[in-house]
Amino acid sequence: MPGSAAAPLPRPQGRARAAPQERRRVAPLAAAPPARDEPLLRGIFEIDKRSCDVVLSARRLRWSPILPESPTGDSSVALQAQEEIIEMKDVFSVKLKRRRFAGQKKGGTLLGITIFKCLNKEENKLTDCAIHLNNLSEDHCQSWFRHLKEILNGFQNRPKSLKVFVNPSSHKREATHIYYEKVAPLFKLADIKTDVTVTQYEGHALSVLKECELQAFDGVVCVGGDGSVSEVAHGLLLRAQIDAGKDTDYVSKPVRAPVPLGVIPAGTTNILAHTLYGIKHAVTATLHIVMGHIQSVDVCTFSTPSKLLRFGFSAMFGFGARTLALAEKHRWMPSSQRKDFAFIKTLADLKPEECELSFLPVQILQEDSHEDRITLLYLGSKDQWQKIQGHFLNVSIMAIPCLCSMAPRGLAPNTRLNNGSMALIVVQNTSRSEFIKHLKRYTSVKNQFNFPFVETYTVREVKVKPSPKGGPDAKEDVCLNAEGNCPWNIDGDLMKEASEVHVRVHPQLIDLCGVNTDDLESSQVTCNCI
């Protein structure tokens, strides 16, 4: 047999001996494809209390029960044995299983091998399951264990060491519990070493990322909400510019982040997690990280005419930013009450922002629905900039679809994770009742942009220049800063330090752990909050 031979196989344990006259027949295995499916090992294990013939190749593990030959000589009995298959790409850990006494940490009686597999359940949810291969032979199990570990070590994207940031203040202050109860055990099971920082203040993760030895890690993980994830992503990209010797005050062509970023949802909306996994589920997010599922994602830079403000994935100016600013002023309230209060209060005091929007459009030449590819034509000359000026209730600029429970199709369903463009969504001034109709559409499958006061554009750059605020109304406006600047909502973080903002998209600037949005099952989540 090709490959290393296993040790002489003992009679499987835990099974009654066959009568002397009874002969065993091995159920025929399906013909193996050539190359990577060539058998490496073949042996006998007890699986689910049945003796099985087990075959290992680089691509899969197959087994079928060993059946006694029919007394009538009917060979069709053997064909009734159902062969089972595990794809090795779905396996994330293998352990030697031993029986130990209470308090015993090493050694113990060998019982066999346990294989841990990632299982894809309904509605995009992943879970882990264990398959036990029982055999009492030390040599036999050690040989199989070595081969299984060699196969797992061959998957290049799977991390061995991670830097983890946990924001204990996220949402209901449950991030620490989520990490240590649901995430850390899976990392340990997958033999992933971790260095954990529980953040103590806003900007803590950013300061750590500027100083830590990133080359010692295969990735960075953030356990928190959208604001926490945005801070870590910004820190990773800022660190990449510093290491590349770039001027961080003005970055026209940023370099890519050095390591992937994994997102464990522990916030309120968890837009990035929903967009990457299709669901808010900590175990699903962890298994995507463990399995090395990587997506290259577009990132925006937000700058003033003279300074880089931050890296981010999406931004809102107007209603979305005012709601966040009001919620931040009421931090003393419980999280859910604070957000509901801010939403209703901002809707009651609905007011437009007067500003000038300049943008560089992108023409979509072709969209291939079979291969999920979009061909873009960049209209790059200066005279092709377009400009609109007026009073706007909300302006959204998004490089990713931004799925969440309140918007199952996404806040920007017409964009993708990595197609090199942004969605610019402009809501003109209208009545409160019409604006509420527009907001309600986000919670359904209907087109939320099918209103005369809503305009959408596919762009690569946007400049937002608000008109100066003044007079008694400006002094009473609690959402403005001391200089009269209107707030921005960037990935759930409040930004007030700029008036004119220039937004650029940079294709595939960071790798995030997750899958392509188009590959996810459509979410069935609905929302009745509006």
Side-chain angles (χ1 to χ4, degrees):
M1 183 177 296
S4 301
L9 305 183
R11 184 181 300 275
Q13 303 297 318
R15 178 180 172 93
R17 292 196 176 193
Q21 69 272 17
E22 181 183 58
R23 290 183 299 162
R24 298 176 182 270
R25 180 189 299 273
V26 176
L29 293 167
R36 291 194 67 220
D37 209 41
E38 186 176 345
L40 300 173
L41 287 178
R42 185 169 190 166
I44 297 176
F45 288 91
E46 184 183 274
I47 304 175
D48 292 332
K49 298 182 180 181
R50 296 185 299 176
S51 291
C52 296
D53 178 33
V54 185
V55 178
L56 174 67
S57 71
R59 293 176 61 180
R60 55 177 62 98
L61 182 73
R62 301 178 291 152
W63 69 88
S64 56
I66 299 174
L67 300 178
E69 184 175 323
S70 171
T72 62
D74 185 2
S75 61
S76 64
V77 175
L79 298 177
Q80 296 175 7
Q82 180 67 42
E83 182 183 72
E84 297 190 51
I85 297 175
I86 293 177
E87 298 291 335
M88 289 304 297
K89 65 180 178 62
D90 296 329
V91 175
F92 67 90
S93 181
V94 57
K95 301 290 184 183
L96 289 171
K97 184 171 66 169
R98 298 182 182 275
R99 181 189 292 119
R100 290 172 177 162
F101 298 109
Q104 184 181 1
K105 295 183 179 180
K106 295 183 178 180
T109 303
L110 180 70
L111 300 177
I113 297 171
T114 300
I115 292 173
F116 296 91
K117 172 190 173 185
C118 177
L119 185 64
N120 195 345
K121 300 184 75 176
E122 73 283 350
E123 296 181 357
N124 309 311
K125 186 178 291 186
L126 301 183
T127 188
D128 60 296
C129 65
I131 299 97
H132 303 284
L133 281 63
N134 298 319
N135 191 302
L136 301 186
S137 169
E138 186 86 29
D139 291 341
H140 184 59
C141 289
Q142 287 287 356
S143 175
W144 278 75
F145 179 75
R146 285 194 302 270
H147 277 79
L148 287 164
K149 290 290 286 185
E150 286 175 7
I151 293 171
L152 295 187
N153 290 335
F155 294 111
Q156 298 299 320
N157 284 338
R158 298 191 179 182
K160 301 293 189 296
S161 178
L162 294 171
K163 176 63 187 175
V164 180
F165 292 97
V166 180
N167 180 2
S169 301
S170 288
H171 191 36
K172 298 178 181 179
R173 302 183 181 274
E174 57 190 8
T176 305
H177 173 79
I178 287 174
Y179 177 73
Y180 286 107
E181 295 297 322
K182 297 181 179 180
V183 179
L186 284 172
F187 284 165
K188 182 178 180 181
L189 190 60
D191 298 320
I192 297 174
K193 296 179 181 179
T194 56
D195 182 75
V196 182
T197 296
V198 179
T199 57
Q200 304 298 318
Y201 52 88
E202 185 178 352
H204 189 182
L206 179 60
S207 62
V208 171
L209 283 168
K210 286 182 178 180
E211 303 295 335
C212 74
E213 300 292 332
L214 273 179
Q215 64 271 20
F217 304 104
D218 300 314
V220 173
V221 173
C222 178
V223 187
D226 290 322
S228 305
V229 175
S230 179
E231 179 185 329
V232 173
H234 173 66
L236 271 175
L237 286 162
L238 199 62
R239 171 65 182 271
Q241 313 318 307
I242 293 171
D243 290 347
K246 290 190 173 276
D247 180 4
T248 55
D249 282 339
Y250 180 77
V251 183
S252 59
K253 294 182 179 180
V255 298
R256 282 173 53 85
V259 293
L261 171 60
V263 179
I264 305 294
T268 307
T269 52
N270 301 289
I271 282 176
L272 263 175
H274 274 280
T275 303
L276 292 165
Y277 315 129
I279 190 173
K280 178 191 174 182
H281 189 241
V283 171
T284 295
T286 306
L287 287 171
H288 277 298
I289 295 169
V290 167
M291 301 299 290
H293 297 160
I294 300 294
Q295 282 293 316
S296 294
V297 177
D298 299 342
V299 180
C300 303
T301 50
F302 298 87
S303 310
T304 66
S306 60
K307 181 184 178 182
L308 171 70
L309 296 172
R310 67 180 301 153
F311 293 92
F313 302 96
S314 64
M316 284 187 283
F317 176 79
F319 179 81
R322 284 181 169 273
T323 301
L324 178 62
L326 192 58
E328 290 297 310
K329 283 185 172 291
H330 293 78
R331 273 280 172 183
W332 52 271
M333 297 175 65
S335 176
S336 58
Q337 293 180 22
R338 179 174 71 243
K339 292 182 183 298
D340 289 345
F341 165 79
F343 179 86
I344 295 170
K345 177 67 173 172
T346 307
L347 199 56
D349 298 335
L350 189 64
K351 61 183 68 175
E353 307 286 0
E354 184 180 0
C355 66
E356 177 185 281
L357 299 176
S358 305
F359 56 90
L360 188 60
V362 173
Q363 179 182 347
I364 300 179
L365 293 182
Q366 178 183 1
E367 182 168 358
D368 191 332
S369 59
H370 296 288
E371 299 186 15
D372 297 322
R373 291 186 303 184
I374 297 178
T375 304
L376 302 177
L377 174 64
Y378 291 108
L379 305 178
S381 89
K382 292 183 178 179
D383 59 356
Q384 289 168 327
W385 279 83
Q386 296 183 18
K387 184 183 296 184
I388 54 177
Q389 189 165 358
H391 292 78
F392 308 110
L393 290 177
N394 193 71
V395 176
S396 298
I397 305 168
M398 298 180 172
I400 61 175
C402 294
L403 277 65
C404 65
S405 60
M406 294 176 289
R409 295 178 62 246
L411 299 175
N414 296 331
T415 191
R416 299 291 184 269
L417 284 173
N418 50 19
N419 68 347
S421 69
M422 300 180 293
L424 171 62
I425 304 162
V426 180
V427 182
Q428 302 271 5
N429 192 19
T430 187
S431 67
R432 183 182 293 105
S433 60
E434 287 297 300
F435 185 64
I436 290 174
K437 289 179 183 179
H438 163 64
L439 294 179
K440 280 188 171 182
R441 286 280 185 91
Y442 280 99
T443 69
S444 70
V445 295
K446 294 181 180 180
N447 183 359
Q448 62 260 44
F449 308 133
N450 190 22
F451 292 93
F453 55 87
V454 179
E455 300 174 8
T456 63
Y457 305 89
T458 303
V459 301
R460 66 179 302 191
E461 292 188 48
V462 182
K463 295 178 181 178
V464 181
K465 187 177 181 180
S467 298
K469 299 282 185 179
D473 290 340
K475 293 181 180 180
E476 295 177 3
D477 195 333
V478 297
C479 293
L480 304 182
N481 68 358
E483 289 76 30
N485 292 333
C486 298
W488 280 78
N489 178 343
I490 300 180
D491 295 331
D493 262 358
L494 187 64
M495 185 183 72
K496 284 187 174 182
E497 59 265 34
S499 53
E500 182 178 347
V501 176
H502 186 180
V503 187
R504 296 184 181 91
V505 65
H506 304 277
Q508 303 182 26
L509 198 60
I510 193 171
D511 288 335
L512 299 182
C513 298
V515 293
N516 194 299
T517 315
D518 297 325
D519 297 333
L520 297 173
E521 299 176 19
S522 60
S523 173
Q524 302 300 315
V525 177
T526 59
C527 175
N528 299 317
C529 63
I530 299 177

